[in-house]
Amino acid sequence: MPLATAQSLGWNLSRTLMTVIVLIETNQGYFVIPADEFDGDPEQVVREYDPFNR
């Protein structure tokens, strides 16, 4: 998915689910997943959305 879409989705999911979401970059584009489910390379992480950290 495009970066702008992934950023919007990541922020929205974080606030809705009240969980930390990470935005990662892969060869296929950008993806958002819960931080506790991400077990890949930390260098793939573009941004972390933490609803508890303002």
Side-chain angles (χ1 to χ4, degrees), residues 1-53:
M1 91 176 58
L3 179 58
T5 303
Q7 288 173 319
S8 178
L9 179 61
W11 180 84
N12 190 18
L13 280 175
S14 175
R15 298 292 291 174
T16 302
L17 300 175
M18 293 306 288
T19 190
V20 178
I21 300 291
V22 292
L23 169 62
I24 60 170
E25 182 178 14
T26 67
N27 294 337
Q28 299 158 340
Y30 295 94
F31 296 94
V32 291
I33 59 172
D36 59 352
E37 293 183 18
F38 179 67
D39 60 355
D41 183 4
E43 291 186 12
Q44 286 182 299
V45 176
V46 175
R47 174 93 195 239
E48 185 177 274
Y49 298 96
D50 185 352
F52 303 106
N53 187 13

